[in-house]
Amino acid sequence: RITALVHARSPRLPPSTAFVLGRLAERHENEALRARERVEPAWRKVRGKRWKKLRGAMKETRKAVAPANAEASAPATSSAPQRS
């Protein structure tokens, strides 16, 4: 697949380019697999019931904070005369 991409882009590229690209792709694939192995235990912790409970708590907090934010962002009204 990489060889076809290399030749489709530029037929003047040497075969060693396809080889190096293949090695880089293999290396990145291996790094991605290792990263997934490291992340998997943490990922399991944020799924399911724990995540639903956290999401519910965040939603409730957002509802409680929204009215306070609306009041804080409302323009202040003053009965004092404005200076020119």
Side-chain angles (χ1 to χ4, degrees):
R1 213 164 78 172
I2 290 175
T3 304
L5 288 172
V6 169
H7 290 296
R9 300 286 184 220
S10 177
R12 295 180 301 235
L13 292 175
S16 60
T17 302
F19 177 77
V20 170
L21 288 173
R23 294 292 294 163
L24 286 172
E26 184 179 340
R27 178 179 174 191
H28 288 294
E29 180 182 14
N30 289 334
E31 287 176 3
L33 290 172
R34 284 194 305 273
R36 183 177 178 186
E37 289 170 358
R38 286 192 310 266
V39 170
E40 188 68 31
W43 174 247
R44 272 189 244 120
K45 291 179 182 179
V46 296
R47 292 175 45 205
K49 292 180 184 178
R50 288 180 177 180
W51 174 244
K52 288 178 185 176
K53 186 176 179 179
L54 174 62
R55 190 176 357 171
M58 290 169 52
K59 194 176 204 178
E60 292 301 317
T61 301
R62 196 176 317 121
K63 285 180 186 176
V65 172
N69 284 344
E71 291 173 12
S73 64
T77 56
S78 174
S79 59
Q82 293 187 3
R83 297 181 188 174
S84 332

